[in-house]
């Protein structure tokens, strides 16, 4: 589906083989990571590092998440029974968005830095991905018009989960995002599952994400 040179396809394959060896995700999720090119989401100057299992800069002091973490978050997202709608807070370069677009019927994604959002739009259009709706806004409020979502994914770390995001999770849905640790330095990737009566919380792993900030930064 996504055209790319042999070199990057084989490099991507080797990266996904490493992720597979760590049992981080189901075969379905690994197959998606094998198909979605990561190098087209970063600057050409660093594209040769796109298939290292590492965070890379995407400008505006932001980063594209590490493949290991994308695999884990996507795997958690894929575990819901109903894959109608996902909401992502923090589009960044749009790589996680593109991966989610292969799992969910509709993906809604919110970014507070306008030039990043515009670039992500272009990259996804070039990949002929048509089931993603973008919004330039502060994601703290989620996207109530399209809620509830079967999955809400946050790719920036907050002191605590914004209440409006919890409110927009569908029954049996999941909210997956990094949250600052209260007791020691660092962040935890946390998953909340919405049941009839409560949210069931589980910690997935320790992580290091950029902070979730207030307000927006428009193109000058
Ligand atoms: N999944 C993205 C991660 C980008 S880093 C990728 O792989 O490229 C996190 C992103 O969250 C940044 O682009 C940052 O601008 C954005 N962000 C931070 N706070 C936000 C907020 N309040 N609302 C929306 N986006 C936010």
């Amino acid at each position: 589906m996504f055209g790319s040179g042999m070199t990057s396809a084989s490099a991507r394959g080797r990266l996904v083989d490493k992720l597979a060896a760590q049992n981080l995700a189901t075969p379905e999720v690994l197959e998606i990571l094998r198909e979605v090119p990561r190098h087209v989401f970063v600057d050409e100057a660093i594209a040769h590092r796109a298939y290292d299992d590492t965070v890379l800069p995407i400008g505006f002091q932001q980063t594209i998440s590490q493949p290991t973490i994308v695999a884990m978050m996507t795997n958690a997202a894929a575990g819901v029974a109903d894959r109608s709608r996902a909401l992502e807070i923090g589009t960044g370069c749009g790589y996680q968005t593109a991966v989610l677009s292969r799992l969910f019927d509709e993906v809604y994604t919110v970014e507070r830095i306008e030039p990043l959002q515009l670039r992500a739009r272009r990259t996804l259009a070039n990949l002929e991905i048509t089931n993603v709706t973008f919004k330039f806004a502060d994601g703290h409020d989620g996207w109530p018009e399209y809620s509830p979502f079967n999955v809400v994914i946050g790719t920036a770390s907050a002191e605590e989960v914004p209440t409006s995001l919890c409110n927009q999770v569908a029954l049996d849905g999941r909210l997956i995002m990094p949250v600052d640790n209260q007791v020691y330095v660092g962040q935890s990737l946390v998953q909340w599952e919405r049941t009839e009566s409560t949210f069931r919380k589980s910690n997935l792993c320790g992580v290091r994400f950029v902070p979730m900030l207030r307000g927006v930064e428009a193109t000058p």
Side-chain angles (χ1 to χ4, degrees):
M1 168 182 188
F2 302 119
S4 60
M6 268 317 289
T7 318
S8 50
S10 56
R12 184 159 68 248
R14 284 194 295 277
L15 169 65
V16 178
D17 288 345
K18 281 184 213 151
L19 300 176
Q22 296 173 71
N23 272 329
L24 288 173
T26 60
E28 180 194 22
V29 169
L30 293 168
E31 191 52 37
I32 294 173
L33 297 177
R34 230 175 262 286
E35 285 173 15
V36 179
R38 189 168 182 255
H39 64 278
V40 299
F41 290 89
V42 297
D43 198 86
E44 257 178 67
I46 54 169
H48 62 286
R49 297 184 57 203
Y51 300 111
D52 294 347
D53 188 17
T54 184
V55 168
L56 292 170
I58 55 171
F60 306 91
Q61 297 172 330
Q62 305 304 320
T63 51
I64 178 171
S65 304
Q66 187 185 351
T68 294
I69 301 298
V70 174
M72 288 185 68
M73 292 181 82
T74 307
N75 202 55
V80 292
D82 181 351
R83 293 185 186 162
S84 302
R85 276 182 187 192
L87 171 68
E88 177 189 42
I89 307 300
T91 317
C93 67
Y95 174 66
Q96 173 79 74
T97 325
V99 171
L100 289 172
S101 79
R102 303 293 303 273
L103 279 172
F104 289 84
D105 297 340
E106 294 165 19
V107 177
Y108 297 83
T109 185
V110 184
E111 171 58 54
R112 65 174 289 283
I113 300 178
E114 193 174 28
L116 278 179
Q117 198 246 16
L118 295 173
R119 201 201 295 157
R121 260 181 203 271
R122 273 199 305 275
T123 310
L124 268 69
N126 288 339
L127 293 173
E128 295 175 2
I129 293 172
T130 54
N131 60 337
V132 174
T133 311
F134 296 85
K135 180 157 94 161
F136 165 52
D138 178 344
H140 279 90
D141 302 328
W143 204 334
E145 293 86 340
Y146 293 107
S147 74
F149 300 96
N150 307 104
V151 161
V152 176
I153 273 198
T155 68
S157 187
E159 275 175 40
E160 49 190 48
V161 177
T163 315
S164 37
L165 295 188
C166 293
N167 291 340
Q168 291 171 31
V169 179
L171 184 63
D172 297 324
R174 292 182 176 175
L175 192 158
I176 303 145
M177 73 180 280
V179 181
D180 299 347
N181 263 310
Q182 304 301 325
V183 274
Y184 59 91
V185 181
Q187 305 158 359
S188 306
L189 183 59
V190 183
Q191 168 180 296
W192 286 263
E193 285 178 274
R194 182 170 210 153
T195 66
E196 291 279 1
S197 53
T198 184
F199 277 92
R200 204 167 41 225
K201 179 179 173 185
S202 39
N203 283 311
L204 300 181
C205 63
V207 283
R208 202 178 176 86
F209 275 81
V210 295
M212 187 165 176
L213 301 174
R214 295 267 172 199
V216 295
E217 294 178 35
T219 305

